[in-house]
Amino acid sequence: MSELNPFAAFVNEEGTSDTLHEKKILKEDSIISLLERIFAFSLNEDVARKHGYMYIGDLVSSAEKQIVLNKENLSYCLCERLLSISSTDSSSSSAYDTYSNHSRENEVIKYLYECYKIYREEGLDEINDYKIIKDEILKNASTAFIYPDIYSDQNECRQILDIMKYDDMHSEFFKDLCQTIDENDESSLVDIYRKIISLLTSDLLVQHLSTFDMKFFDVLKVLTMKENIAILFMECNEPKKPSTGVSYANTVLGALFNISILPKNPGAEYEHFRDIMTHTALDSMESVVWNKVKLITDQLHLFILSLLKISPAVYNKILNWIGQCIANNSDREKLWNVQLALDFNYTCVSDGFMLQLGNVLLKLSEPFCNKKKILKVDPTYCAVPNDLIQEKNIHLLNMSRHTCILPVEEDSTEQRLMANSYSFISNCFYMTHSVTYSGFVLAVDKSIKMNQEFARLEGLYEASRNGSRHYGDPDSIRERLRTEMTKFLSYKAQLTEPNMLSSMFNFISSSCYWLCLVAIKQDSNDENSYAPNEETEISFPISSSIPNTLRCIPEFIVNNIICFVNFIKRFNVGIFEEHGLEKLEPILNFLLMFMGNHGCLKNPHLRAELAEGVEALLPVHGEIISSRPRNVGNFQRKKLFAEYKFKLQVVKSLLEVFVGIEMTGQSVEFEQKFNYRRPMYKVMEYLWESEDYQNHFRKLAEEAERNMEAVTPPIFLRFINLLINDAVFLLDDSLTNMSNLRELQVARDEEESTLPANEIAQILGSIRQIGNLARFDNILGRDTITALENLTSKITIVFTHSTMVDRMASMLNYFLFNLVGPNKKNFKVKNPKEFSFEPAETVLKICKIYINLKQSDAFCLAISQDGRSYSPQLFSYAEDVLIRIGGTSYIQEIKELAEKVSKIAEEFQANEEAITGAPDNFLDPIMSTLMTDPVILPSSRQTVDRTTIARHLLSDQTDPFNRSPLSMDQVIPDTALANEIREWIAERRSTR
């Protein structure tokens, strides 16, 4: 406040005439002083010099030389002051608040704002008599905007943006200014606002994460503080080409979403993680960028939330903008975005844009990520076609086109369920999942491919450094390595930002809980909502009556869950521990419910991938893609599996999906099934360490024993059959590849100095290709043999049953013979660990399986009857190798097995001699063995032994002679032929 109180004249007006005269003079002097202070100019040269004001006495016309600075003359004086502004000086005044006061401010709006600010600070807004001062300020400011030609070379819109960014009374000034402009010329206000938004957009488009000015959010708050301008703000955010996804990045909102750790445009340089050489430097850089990302995300979330709360009109506009942005960037979901060059998609927004949009949507979703509110999400949202979305308050386009977890057949006339209207919770839920699918999932796939490329280049670099002339220049490979590392670390940092991971974990866990309750809730007749709404206790097995609401939920939600859980396993398993059992259990419930029940999830690929999700939850680190594993505990995950109340369901669902990916009508690519089964073996290996889970495996085996020839083969029997099939294929393929590798390595070593470079490169390429296949087969083969070893240690009857025993024995004989017999040198390669080839370990496991089953006479007989690989010397070879590889503890039991096999073989041979020369119609047409229980196949009318066809139907439920569908209940016992065979055998034996 001033030394002379401008309001003193209003106090105690009564008095003598002299007193009143003195007060009048005092009042006039106070007003002059006040106006001089507000506008920083004076008509008194001495006062101007004393206080540093602009002297405007020489600006007024000669006719007006005697005027006094007061409210009546203010308009004239202010006009003269503003017209004195030098266009040359104004162009050079780029920084705000250059002077100690605003007396020489040469930018019109900034000058008037300073005047406005002092006016408000003096408290004059409370007194009507002084309102004329504010009116003059605002009138001149609005004139500058409406008639910009009056003040040449002034950028009023730029000035107002600067004010909003760098001072604290901008909102009141802007609000009063807009009101004044609106009163004078409404159409000008719209044009001015659009120019301001255009400038703001240009400013934001050149911002980067490391230099981003958080004061932009102050500007945005002012530009959207009232409904009418918030609506105008959203209209200004309409992209020039809405159907082109990338155009959304060129709007104000898009420019904000595009601020991230990743580049904004394809092919642009990566700003962060260049030349990171130590873990300390990496941690430091991650901490810096994570803090900046969090700040921007939090402010973006608050800004979007404030827009949603302004009014229904603004609410609809912001959700429509997000929905259209998602729909018009749907090309990001196509496979070529990952398979082709990672940095060259010019039609869609960047990965950073989608990840940041996803971060904001996750923040908006946080309030309903709990067991009560998540149940308000309506599962029928994605069944609504585009022509009905406006009517039903939906803001996402094209959702009805997505494949659902239970798809509706194309020629079906069935109508999917639809509610009358959908809430914000439903809109936000599906928007978040849509952006997660096109943003997070895609970025994870890219990061994994980057890591693979980095590993490949690392191998090339090491080979080139060791002097090989075929791998290229080490320096150029090292530079490519550095580039790939920068890309990978940038993606990793964006994807592992701690606050985002925490929000996404809650969202994914809540989604799993919601999906489980949708699956167990029967269809409702209430068209207002099909949401679960009420909490229900989950139990297994679930009802066979599957609700139609599952025909409305898109598959990409399941994809999101799988991707996120696997990502956490690879990059930050600590998240599992931080959130604990309460959040982990819904995820495991979902994985088991949908993995083990094709009625809930049709796609066999997704069901198989869910098993990888179970493996990710195991209390072990597994394969860590990041540069170093995080040192975290396993307490919560151990507790999850130890205290889980549906332990039997874990085992059962695992076997169901193991079998389901290969059964008729659920088949997948032959090689792909092994990729799916790899995590299943890891789960089994972990479960086998617990006696509780072992007991559940035994229960299923006992059930299989009681129903070995049931119409529908027991799940455990089908599982064992496929396990043996896998072992045969993988170990056989492995041995073939190892033999081929040996030949190629020999050729390379002998001829490298004589062959031309292109032929050597071809050999090296073949070694890499076959080596990759061999590594794959060796790892999976080892896992398969481990599973068989574990199972046979506690369960024997299924493996030694007549349906299985021959195949089990012949498989073990074949691989033992190749690994310990005369041909074992054929598989000796250089650097066997490079190809995960561990023959000694495999021999030990095979010997252990023999020992586990040696009490069975049927198994010992089957060993001796294997004409391909068995000979009396087989176990002698094994003993010699066991001595060399540290398996002496097995030797005694292997000797006992060899003796028993030899004895049973002699007894069998004596019996067989009695029945040699059997008629052809007594022999099984597939196995060429004497039938004991002949049956007729109804379609082909062929007669086979019951054991033979039962074994065939475990893998393929068709007639082997004409491929017609077949099950065991359809075969016809050939009683007459069976009697003939028995009579013939009795007759032959009686004559000996």
Side-chain angles (χ1 to χ4, degrees):
M1 292 292 290
S2 63
E3 295 176 3
L4 298 175
N5 187 348
F7 310 116
F10 294 101
V11 181
N12 193 14
E13 290 286 346
E14 297 181 1
T16 64
S17 59
D18 290 340
T19 304
L20 290 174
H21 178 69
E22 290 174 1
K23 288 183 177 181
K24 182 178 179 182
I25 294 172
L26 180 62
K27 178 180 178 182
E28 289 175 352
D29 288 344
S30 298
I31 291 172
I32 292 171
S33 176
L34 174 65
L35 293 175
E36 287 173 338
R37 196 162 53 255
I38 291 173
F39 293 100
F41 60 67
S42 177
L43 291 170
N44 186 317
E45 192 169 1
D46 292 335
V47 172
R49 188 179 299 112
K50 178 182 178 181
H51 294 285
Y53 298 151
M54 176 180 280
Y55 174 62
I56 63 169
D58 56 358
L59 298 179
V60 300
S61 65
S62 57
E64 301 288 347
K65 286 295 183 180
Q66 301 304 314
I67 68 169
V68 176
L69 181 59
N70 54 30
K71 290 187 288 185
E72 289 74 18
N73 297 323
L74 175 60
S75 180
Y76 173 77
C77 294
L78 181 56
C79 182
E80 291 296 334
R81 163 68 178 92
L82 294 175
L83 289 173
S84 72
I85 286 178
S86 166
S87 61
T88 304
D89 288 342
S90 78
S91 65
S92 64
S93 179
S94 57
Y96 184 67
D97 202 19
T98 304
Y99 311 105
S100 58
N101 63 42
H102 56 295
S103 61
R104 290 174 177 79
E105 175 60 69
N106 284 319
E107 292 187 298
V108 174
I109 303 302
K110 290 183 178 180
Y111 169 76
L112 291 170
Y113 171 68
E114 286 297 327
C115 299
Y116 177 90
K117 188 164 68 168
I118 295 173
Y119 170 84
R120 292 290 297 267
E121 288 171 350
E122 293 282 352
L124 303 181
D125 220 24
E126 307 291 330
I127 306 170
N128 287 334
D129 279 2
Y130 291 93
K131 188 174 181 295
I132 189 174
I133 299 174
K134 184 173 78 169
D135 291 344
E136 283 297 329
I137 295 171
L138 295 172
K139 181 181 72 174
N140 280 275
S142 65
T143 300
F145 276 103
I146 298 172
Y147 305 106
D149 292 340
I150 293 176
Y151 306 102
S152 58
D153 294 331
Q154 292 279 323
N155 189 335
E156 290 81 6
C157 293
R158 169 58 63 194
Q159 291 172 43
I160 198 72
L161 275 178
D162 287 346
I163 290 168
M164 290 179 188
K165 285 174 66 178
Y166 298 114
D167 213 87
D168 57 0
M169 208 177 288
H170 54 265
S171 60
E172 293 87 350
F173 178 68
F174 184 73
K175 181 169 63 176
D176 289 343
L177 178 59
C178 287
Q179 184 176 345
T180 306
I181 296 173
D182 190 42
E183 290 170 354
N184 288 283
D185 188 342
E186 183 180 351
S187 61
S188 292
L189 178 60
V190 174
D191 292 339
I192 292 165
Y193 188 90
R194 289 185 180 278
K195 289 177 183 176
I196 293 172
I197 295 296
S198 179
L199 275 176
L200 179 61
T201 305
S202 300
D203 290 350
L204 286 169
L205 287 173
V206 297
Q207 291 288 308
H208 295 278
L209 180 69
S210 57
T211 58
F212 184 80
D213 189 346
M214 299 300 292
K215 289 187 178 293
F216 276 113
F217 289 107
D218 295 331
V219 177
L220 290 167
K221 289 174 187 175
V222 176
L223 291 174
T224 57
M225 60 185 171
K226 293 176 66 179
E227 179 183 7
N228 61 332
I229 58 173
I231 290 173
L232 186 55
F233 173 80
M234 288 310 304
E235 290 173 356
C236 292
N237 270 278
E238 289 297 322
K240 293 180 179 179
K241 295 181 179 179
S243 60
T244 304
V246 72
S247 64
Y248 286 83
N250 297 321
T251 64
V252 174
L253 286 175
L256 288 168
F257 287 128
N258 225 5
I259 305 293
S260 75
I261 299 170
L262 304 178
K264 295 181 180 182
N265 303 305
E269 287 191 9
Y270 286 74
E271 182 181 357
H272 309 281
F273 301 100
R274 303 172 73 173
D275 300 320
I276 295 292
M277 304 301 292
T278 66
H279 291 320
T280 303
L282 175 59
D283 287 341
S284 176
M285 177 62 76
E286 280 186 337
S287 178
V288 169
V289 296
W290 283 346
N291 286 336
K292 202 62 184 281
V293 168
K294 181 183 184 302
L295 286 173
I296 294 174
T297 300
D298 289 346
Q299 288 299 314
L300 251 174
H301 163 244
L302 292 174
F303 175 61
I304 298 296
L305 188 61
S306 69
L307 286 177
L308 291 168
K309 291 180 177 180
I310 289 174
S311 72
V314 181
Y315 166 93
N316 283 318
K317 283 188 175 294
I318 185 67
L319 289 186
N320 280 337
W321 189 92
I322 295 173
Q324 289 167 7
C325 175
I326 295 170
N328 289 308
N329 282 284
S330 60
D331 279 353
R332 289 177 51 82
E333 300 168 8
K334 295 180 179 176
L335 186 62
W336 51 262
N337 268 303
V338 177
Q339 298 299 336
L340 299 181
L342 296 179
D343 290 332
F344 296 97
N345 183 353
Y346 291 94
T347 62
C348 296
V349 295
S350 66
D351 288 334
F353 180 108
M354 294 305 282
L355 288 167
Q356 187 66 316
L357 176 58
N359 288 350
V360 172
L361 287 169
L362 283 168
K363 296 286 286 183
L364 290 173
S365 301
E366 281 181 354
F368 60 81
C369 283
N370 55 66
K371 286 188 174 182
K372 290 186 178 180
K373 290 187 178 179
I374 195 67
L375 299 183
K376 295 180 180 179
V377 174
D378 197 306
T380 65
Y381 182 97
C382 296
V384 180
N386 282 353
D387 58 344
L388 293 178
I389 60 174
Q390 199 166 11
E391 172 189 330
K392 294 182 179 292
N393 194 33
I394 282 179
H395 299 274
L396 266 176
L397 296 166
N398 307 325
M399 297 306 289
S400 62
R401 301 175 188 175
H402 285 281
T403 302
C404 292
I405 58 180
L406 285 185
V408 177
E409 302 298 331
E410 292 184 5
D411 56 350
S412 173
T413 58
E414 181 183 356
Q415 294 294 316
R416 291 195 290 178
L417 300 173
M418 285 183 282
N420 292 331
S421 182
Y422 296 89
S423 65
F424 170 74
I425 290 180
S426 291
N427 273 291
C428 191
F429 177 84
Y430 288 100
M431 281 183 174
T432 306
H433 268 297
S434 293
V435 172
T436 300
Y437 185 58
S438 59
F440 181 82
V441 172
L442 177 66
V444 168
D445 287 344
K446 285 185 177 181
S447 68
I448 291 173
K449 288 188 178 296
M450 286 176 189
N451 187 71
Q452 292 169 346
E453 174 63 10
F454 182 82
R456 187 187 71 83
L457 289 172
E458 202 170 30
L460 286 177
Y461 178 65
E462 289 301 321
S464 65
R465 285 186 63 194
N466 292 334
S468 176
R469 60 190 174 91
H470 307 292
Y471 290 100
D473 175 46
D475 291 337
S476 64
I477 296 175
R478 184 179 181 183
E479 187 59 33
R480 288 169 61 195
L481 265 172
R482 195 146 56 185
T483 300
E484 286 301 315
M485 176 57 80
T486 297
K487 289 182 181 180
F488 172 72
L489 291 177
S490 297
Y491 267 83
K492 174 180 171 289
Q494 183 71 49
L495 290 165
T496 55
E497 193 276 307
N499 291 280
M500 182 274 288
L501 284 185
S502 182
S503 294
M504 187 172 283
F505 190 92
N506 283 327
F507 182 72
I508 292 296
S509 177
S510 298
S511 298
C512 289
Y513 178 71
W514 172 77
L515 278 165
C516 287
L517 263 65
V518 170
I520 64 177
K521 180 181 183 288
Q522 295 305 304
D523 291 333
S524 167
N525 294 322
D526 182 5
E527 294 184 1
N528 290 320
S529 174
Y530 291 95
N533 289 319
E534 296 179 359
E535 293 184 64
T536 306
E537 187 174 352
I538 295 170
S539 61
F540 290 96
I542 66 170
S543 170
S544 59
S545 177
I546 303 300
N548 284 319
T549 48
L550 292 181
R551 302 187 186 279
C552 307
I553 300 173
E555 278 186 350
F556 66 70
I557 292 180
V558 178
N559 269 305
N560 292 344
I561 295 169
I562 296 168
C563 176
F564 179 75
V565 173
N566 289 333
F567 175 80
I568 292 300
K569 178 201 73 171
R570 293 186 175 103
F571 286 95
N572 190 356
V573 292
I575 294 292
F576 290 139
E577 297 301 308
E578 291 170 15
H579 288 268
L581 191 64
E582 183 181 357
K583 292 291 184 178
L584 286 170
E585 193 170 64
I587 298 176
L588 184 56
N589 285 339
F590 161 76
L591 294 172
L592 298 179
M593 184 179 292
F594 284 76
M595 179 176 78
N597 190 335
H598 65 82
C600 288
L601 180 60
K602 185 75 170 177
N603 188 331
H605 297 275
L606 282 181
R607 289 179 58 221
E609 288 173 6
L610 289 174
E612 190 175 357
V614 177
E615 190 256 331
L617 294 178
L618 294 179
V620 288
H621 291 303
E623 180 184 356
I624 305 295
I625 288 184
S626 56
S627 56
R628 56 208 159 101
R630 299 183 182 274
N631 184 21
V632 295
N634 286 321
F635 177 77
Q636 295 294 342
R637 286 168 291 159
K638 282 183 178 178
K639 188 176 180 182
L640 173 66
F641 283 92
E643 299 180 5
Y644 191 58
K645 57 185 175 182
F646 303 119
K647 290 182 179 179
L648 178 60
Q649 191 62 37
V650 178
V651 177
K652 192 171 183 181
S653 291
L654 198 62
L655 301 191
E656 286 282 358
V657 73
F658 190 100
V659 171
I661 60 175
E662 195 161 359
M663 296 306 293
T664 305
Q666 294 278 302
S667 60
V668 296
E669 291 292 334
F670 188 71
E671 292 80 7
Q672 183 63 47
K673 72 177 182 181
F674 293 115
N675 280 323
Y676 289 151
R677 284 178 180 165
R678 184 177 179 184
M680 298 180 202
Y681 289 131
K682 292 184 180 297
V683 177
M684 290 179 201
E685 189 171 358
Y686 175 77
L687 297 181
W688 199 255
E689 296 174 3
S690 163
E691 188 173 347
D692 284 346
Y693 285 105
Q694 280 186 25
N695 290 334
H696 291 311
F697 274 105
R698 279 201 291 266
K699 284 180 183 178
L700 293 175
E702 290 165 3
E703 179 188 345
E705 179 188 355
R706 293 191 298 269
N707 300 278
M708 291 297 282
E709 294 184 4
V711 174
T712 302
I715 187 65
F716 191 82
L717 182 59
R718 287 181 286 163
F719 162 66
I720 293 303
N721 178 66
L722 294 176
L723 199 62
I724 295 172
N725 287 349
D726 285 359
V728 170
F729 173 82
L730 290 167
L731 292 174
D732 193 34
D733 215 36
S734 165
L735 294 179
T736 301
N737 286 324
M738 296 308 296
S739 177
N740 291 338
L741 270 176
R742 174 180 169 80
E743 293 175 5
L744 287 168
Q745 287 180 346
V746 170
R748 178 196 61 188
D749 295 343
E750 290 179 352
E751 303 176 16
E752 186 169 10
S753 59
T754 58
L755 287 177
N758 63 326
E759 292 188 25
I760 291 295
Q762 187 175 359
I763 292 174
L764 293 174
S766 297
I767 289 175
R768 273 197 306 273
Q769 181 182 7
I770 295 175
N772 288 336
L773 292 173
R775 186 181 305 108
F776 176 82
D777 290 337
N778 288 330
I779 291 172
L780 273 170
R782 183 179 64 230
D783 291 343
T784 309
I785 288 296
T786 299
L788 286 170
E789 180 200 347
N790 287 335
L791 290 167
T792 56
S793 67
K794 303 292 182 182
I795 301 164
T796 60
I797 183 59
V798 178
F799 294 96
T800 57
H801 189 271
S802 60
T803 306
M804 291 290 177
V805 69
D806 291 336
R807 296 178 62 244
M808 190 72 183
S810 62
M811 176 197 72
L812 294 173
N813 289 348
Y814 174 73
F815 293 115
L816 185 64
F817 176 74
N818 278 280
L819 293 171
V820 304
N823 299 326
K824 62 180 181 292
K825 293 182 180 179
N826 293 344
F827 314 113
K828 189 175 183 180
V829 298
K830 292 184 178 180
N831 302 319
K833 289 187 177 180
E834 179 184 348
F835 310 106
S836 299
F837 185 52
E838 300 173 347
E841 182 181 345
T842 303
V843 168
L844 291 173
K845 289 181 183 296
I846 288 174
C847 288
K848 181 63 176 172
I849 296 171
Y850 274 117
I851 293 168
N852 290 341
L853 302 177
K854 71 183 181 70
Q855 298 302 322
S856 168
D857 291 349
F859 175 67
C860 293
L861 176 61
I863 291 174
S864 69
Q865 297 308 300
D866 172 29
R868 181 176 65 162
S869 305
Y870 175 76
S871 69
Q873 294 78 32
L874 176 63
F875 293 113
S876 298
Y877 295 145
E879 290 171 23
D880 294 340
V881 171
L882 286 172
I883 292 171
R884 293 200 302 272
I885 64 175
T888 53
S889 59
Y890 298 145
I891 290 177
Q892 183 58 40
E893 291 186 276
I894 288 295
K895 284 183 176 179
E896 293 173 3
L897 172 65
E899 292 173 1
K900 184 174 181 180
V901 168
S902 176
K903 180 180 178 181
I904 289 179
E906 291 175 4
E907 294 174 357
F908 179 80
Q909 185 62 32
N911 288 330
E912 281 295 293
E913 289 176 1
I915 55 174
T916 54
D920 290 342
N921 64 319
F922 287 7
L923 301 179
D924 182 277
I926 296 176
M927 302 301 295
S928 297
T929 56
L930 185 66
M931 294 184 286
T932 58
D933 188 0
V935 294
I936 301 171
L937 307 185
S939 175
S940 63
R941 307 307 297 177
Q942 291 285 334
T943 300
V944 295
D945 198 47
R946 182 181 291 274
T947 300
T948 302
I949 195 61
R951 184 164 55 234
H952 167 80
L953 291 177
L954 287 174
S955 302
D956 185 356
Q957 293 182 321
T958 63
D959 187 318
F961 298 98
N962 62 9
R963 315 305 299 167
S964 297
L966 179 65
S967 59
M968 280 303 294
D969 64 320
Q970 295 174 321
V971 300
I972 305 166
D974 193 339
T975 307
L977 181 58
N979 291 333
E980 286 185 43
I981 294 172
R982 280 194 293 273
E983 290 173 2
W984 182 81
I985 292 173
E987 181 181 342
R988 291 298 299 267
R989 285 178 175 166
S990 64
T991 59
R992 287 183 63 83

